[in-house]
Amino acid sequence: MVYHYFRLLWRNRRVRYAFMVVGIFALTILFKSGRVSDMHLGASTKASVQREKWLKDANFIPTKEYNDLLNKRFSRPSPWSGYTGPRWQASFKQHKELNGVIRKMLSNGKDELNAENKQTQTRRNRVAIAAKQAWDAYKRDAFGWDEHSPLSHSGSNLTTQGIGYFIADVLDTLWLVGLMDEYKEGRDYLANRVTFDQPGAVSLFEATIRVLGGLLSAYHLSGERDSELLRLADELGSRLSKSFNTQSGIPPETAILRLNQQPYVYESSTAEITTLQLEFRYLAKLTGNYTYKKNVDNIMGIIFKAQKWDGLAAVYFNAQSARFTGDVARLGSRGDSYYEYLLKQWIQTKQTEPVFRKEYDVAMEGVKRYLVTVSPNQHFTYVGELLGLPSSKPVFSPKMDHLVCFLGGNLALGATKGASLAEIAPLTLTARDREDLILARELTETCVHMYFDTASGLAPEITHFRHLNLETGVENAFDNSTQLVKPDGDILVSIGDRHSLLRPETVESLFILWRITGEDKWREYGWRIFESFERWAKLQQGGFAMLQDVTVVPPVHGDKMETFFVSETLKYLYLLFSDSNTVPLTRYVFNTEAHPLPLFTWN
């Protein structure tokens, strides 16, 4: 019966035509589906072949290239007669360990960075809850004020009216961790209540990295659609820019918001005048006002021409003589972010301005030659200081601020330009790149032990290390005000340095190293540190507070929660437990206050 009806239908020409069209359409779909499958198979096979080749290449150690690098470094004439520095270099064992990290990352692939599990989700949520608790305490005690004192439940302002210091600094953290109601509260306060047209002086450096950087980052996260945030950033930028109206263009450390100042500048902090560039350059890109860029580029031009000590800069700069002053070179206070922003200015404009990378590489050569060494017992690799720069024979000091712990992440960032090791052909890593990755891992391990070796599990503001005299090989004595944090260990802390401001530099490096190497240990270290914050810095009445002495438990709290605890420390911890598509390092650069800014070019 079915066959009979089919024959009758087939006699109709229109029906036959319809069947043919449907058949051709079905065959086309099947053909395309097959081709797509073949294409995917081909791409997958190609990637697999490439990965296998990369895995073989991962065993290679560029011994000759590295020896040439070391010979060139240590054969350069020294600025000081008879002084060569600690002569640190990466060992063959460390090169082999790095190859193991590369092989594992290639085997697992970048997808390993984005693998979600219940533990990762729980940890990320816990950090978000901590951010909310910190915000809630601030809102309860000091909403709208620049700074928060959680013990006395009060706030304070940097100027009579305040400049939105706290809110602007934490705004992008609220956005990133998903606290959108809290974000709107903060954003609306800034847009409706804050003005920079007021009397008073502020730190040019702090206002730039915290407030201007925070406004610009939040504006970008809004899709660059929130015109009120850009208006505020432009207003603040124009007022801070008056500080550049000096004879040399080198600004003072303070900025007067309302008056047209023509300041006389004698001496400025090196870090503070060279850590304005990312923010003002991005503001120039957004507004088209390239005076912002010209001002900060002028500073860098002067700095580049000034005489340094084999790439090392002293921590002060004289505007009149255009010379570095003071007798200390360090990567801690007043020196740290000068080195950080050399690299990051190169990254910010998509590696199109090689002068910044050149200066960064020269500086890192000096750091490795004179400041990096290893402690005698626990074999911690650390970055010390050089005292007496103008003399013929400076003295190495085994002192390292917690601030220096940014360097591990910075070195790794420079080695891969933010890409994970799963995305890089191993042979494209130069001997310097490999050395930077090795040093990054070793320094960050040391910074982690600055936490884990104390009674509280939290790091002091400044540490010293046991150190053997470079000439005699005898251990340097340490005074009675300094104590070992661990018996037979190498970390020493002086009485005045035992406090913790809940700084971000170590977790910053943990975050970057996780993104680049994929090693689980960086996440585990970060979680241990977070749990110590929760245990000792969190207050029963809500919020978090600094600690006065991390070498005793329970530690006594101080009446302050720095804005950077939320802006930086918690943000980096949250990103540590997020996938690599959340603020990817190949598309963003973080300013020194952890505000992510997008990469761009001037064209």
Side-chain angles (χ1 to χ4, degrees):
M1 181 67 70
V2 173
Y3 175 73
H4 174 71
Y5 281 114
F6 180 77
R7 286 185 62 190
L8 290 175
L9 286 171
W10 191 252
R11 290 175 183 174
N12 188 309
R13 188 173 61 182
R14 291 183 178 178
V15 171
R16 289 201 304 272
Y17 180 74
F19 270 110
M20 290 173 63
V21 170
V22 171
I24 291 171
F25 179 75
L27 287 171
T28 301
I29 294 296
L30 288 171
F31 175 74
K32 287 187 174 181
S33 176
R35 279 197 67 177
V36 169
S37 297
D38 288 342
M39 288 171 65
H40 280 301
L41 180 61
S44 175
T45 303
K46 185 177 179 181
S48 178
V49 170
Q50 181 188 62
R51 182 162 293 173
E52 287 300 317
K53 181 181 183 306
W54 284 7
L55 280 168
K56 292 179 181 177
D57 293 341
N59 295 320
F60 178 69
I61 296 175
T63 305
K64 182 181 184 306
E65 184 186 356
Y66 188 53
N67 286 336
D68 290 344
L69 178 68
L70 293 175
N71 288 335
K72 184 177 179 181
R73 177 182 302 156
F74 293 121
S75 64
R76 287 197 314 271
S78 172
W80 308 282
S81 59
Y83 184 84
T84 58
R87 296 184 68 90
W88 174 86
Q89 64 184 68
S91 67
F92 181 74
K93 178 182 177 183
Q94 289 169 336
H95 276 286
K96 286 186 67 177
E97 289 175 354
L98 177 62
N99 283 355
V101 173
I102 294 172
R103 283 195 303 272
K104 185 174 181 181
M105 192 63 174
L106 288 171
S107 299
N108 293 338
K110 187 182 176 184
D111 291 342
E112 182 75 10
L113 293 174
N114 301 327
E116 279 284 301
N117 56 54
K118 187 174 181 181
Q119 182 187 72
T120 302
Q121 293 172 351
T122 299
R123 290 178 174 183
R124 186 169 64 244
N125 291 339
R126 284 272 302 277
V127 178
I129 290 169
K132 178 170 173 51
Q133 291 170 334
W135 173 263
D136 286 346
Y138 166 73
K139 181 182 175 183
R140 177 197 65 204
D141 298 337
F143 185 72
W145 293 80
D146 288 336
E147 296 186 306
H148 181 207
S149 299
L151 298 183
S152 58
H153 302 290
S154 62
S156 59
N157 279 331
L158 303 178
T159 62
T160 303
Q161 301 174 41
I163 59 170
Y165 193 72
F166 189 103
I167 295 175
D169 203 15
V170 308
L171 202 59
D172 57 3
T173 298
L174 299 176
W175 176 291
L176 288 170
V177 305
L179 297 174
M180 299 312 295
D181 290 341
E182 290 78 2
Y183 172 87
K184 187 175 185 306
E185 288 175 335
R187 180 265 172 211
D188 290 349
Y189 182 89
L190 293 174
N192 300 323
R193 301 283 298 278
V194 170
T195 178
F196 302 115
D197 182 15
Q198 55 176 293
V202 296
S203 163
L204 173 63
F205 167 72
E206 298 291 359
T208 297
I209 66 170
R210 301 198 199 202
V211 184
L212 182 59
L215 290 170
L216 290 172
S217 180
Y219 172 71
H220 174 75
L221 292 175
S222 76
E224 298 191 349
R225 291 190 296 267
D226 193 332
S227 59
E228 282 300 299
L229 292 179
L230 182 58
R231 176 191 64 79
L232 279 170
D234 195 19
E235 180 190 346
L236 178 60
S238 67
R239 293 181 181 279
L240 295 179
S241 288
K242 293 181 294 184
S243 297
F244 302 113
N245 295 331
T246 65
Q247 185 175 1
S248 65
I250 299 294
E253 293 186 356
T254 57
I256 299 173
L257 293 175
R258 177 172 283 172
L259 299 179
N260 288 318
Q261 68 181 88
Q262 293 289 333
Y264 177 82
V265 185
Y266 173 66
E267 205 169 54
S268 298
S269 161
T270 297
E272 292 191 5
I273 61 174
T274 57
T275 313
L276 312 167
Q277 284 67 23
L278 295 185
E279 299 81 1
F280 277 101
R281 283 156 67 87
Y282 182 43
L283 183 60
K285 178 70 174 179
L286 290 174
T287 63
N289 180 358
Y290 286 91
T291 301
Y292 291 137
K293 176 181 184 296
K294 180 181 177 182
N295 287 336
V296 294
D297 283 355
N298 175 61
I299 295 172
M300 297 310 301
I302 296 171
I303 292 292
F304 289 161
K305 292 176 183 176
Q307 184 178 0
K308 305 173 189 69
W309 291 266
D310 212 353
L312 299 178
V315 294
Y316 289 100
F317 192 81
N318 185 297
Q320 273 64 51
S321 65
R323 291 177 177 271
F324 287 101
T325 56
D327 67 345
V328 182
R330 62 171 173 251
L331 274 77
S333 61
R334 299 189 178 274
D336 51 355
S337 47
Y338 159 65
Y339 302 93
E340 176 187 1
Y341 270 36
L342 287 178
L343 175 70
K344 289 185 174 180
Q345 286 177 83
W346 177 68
I347 289 174
Q348 183 182 39
T349 50
K350 299 183 178 180
Q351 305 166 35
T352 58
E353 298 175 279
V355 62
F356 296 114
R357 179 68 200 226
K358 179 182 176 182
E359 291 289 329
Y360 170 76
D361 287 338
V362 170
M364 289 303 102
E365 283 292 295
V367 169
K368 294 169 188 173
R369 183 177 183 183
Y370 299 105
L371 302 184
V372 179
T373 192
V374 180
S375 67
N377 294 346
Q378 293 177 286
H379 307 294
F380 290 148
T381 302
Y382 67 95
V383 180
E385 301 181 358
L386 211 54
L387 313 179
L389 293 180
S391 69
S392 61
K393 195 171 184 180
V395 176
F396 177 84
S397 170
K399 168 180 173 286
M400 187 167 94
D401 297 0
H402 185 278
L403 290 167
V404 181
C405 289
F406 85 93
L407 186 59
N410 218 63
L411 286 165
L413 190 64
T416 72
K417 294 79 176 173
S420 75
L421 290 173
E423 303 169 282
I424 300 173
L427 295 186
T428 64
L429 290 170
T430 66
R432 176 181 281 122
D433 292 334
R434 291 175 57 89
E435 182 184 62
D436 285 353
L437 284 169
I438 290 168
L439 183 54
R441 295 175 73 248
E442 295 298 318
L443 284 175
T444 304
E445 286 280 357
T446 300
C447 289
V448 164
H449 277 277
M450 287 162 57
Y451 284 77
F452 297 163
D453 285 6
T454 68
S456 65
L458 292 172
E461 180 72 1
I462 298 171
T463 59
H464 292 76
F465 291 84
R466 277 183 163 171
H467 176 63
L468 302 181
N469 185 284
L470 297 176
E471 295 181 349
T472 66
V474 177
E475 183 176 343
N476 291 350
F478 49 93
D479 60 46
N480 293 332
S481 69
T482 304
Q483 71 177 59
L484 286 167
V485 297
K486 185 177 182 180
D488 299 321
D490 284 336
I491 296 177
L492 302 129
V493 188
S494 297
I495 290 176
D497 301 331
R498 297 173 188 171
H499 57 286
S500 169
L501 301 177
L502 317 183
R503 287 196 181 274
E505 288 77 19
T506 295
V507 293
E508 173 185 3
S509 288
L510 294 176
F511 156 65
I512 295 173
L513 281 168
W514 159 253
R515 287 283 182 92
I516 288 174
T517 71
E519 294 176 273
D520 290 330
K521 67 178 181 178
W522 308 122
R523 275 184 161 177
E524 294 306 313
Y525 293 163
W527 185 246
R528 282 183 63 180
I529 290 171
F530 174 75
E531 288 191 309
S532 294
F533 284 138
E534 289 263 282
R535 182 177 185 185
W536 300 118
K538 191 159 100 175
L539 303 173
Q540 287 186 349
Q541 62 267 41
F544 294 77
M546 63 167 288
L547 307 176
Q548 293 185 4
D549 188 344
V550 297
T551 67
V552 298
V553 289
V556 177
H557 292 109
D559 193 15
K560 189 167 188 178
M561 183 181 74
E562 290 279 0
T563 66
F564 57 64
F565 177 66
V566 183
S567 173
E568 300 187 72
T569 308
L570 292 181
K571 181 186 294 161
Y572 282 130
L573 283 165
Y574 183 84
L575 292 173
L576 179 62
F577 299 108
S578 301
D579 68 48
S580 64
N581 296 315
T582 306
V583 197
L585 293 176
T586 52
R587 290 173 50 198
Y588 287 88
V589 61
F590 287 84
N591 86 335
T592 199
E593 191 71 9
H595 296 303
L597 304 174
L599 307 189
F600 62 86
T601 60
W602 295 116
N603 297 329

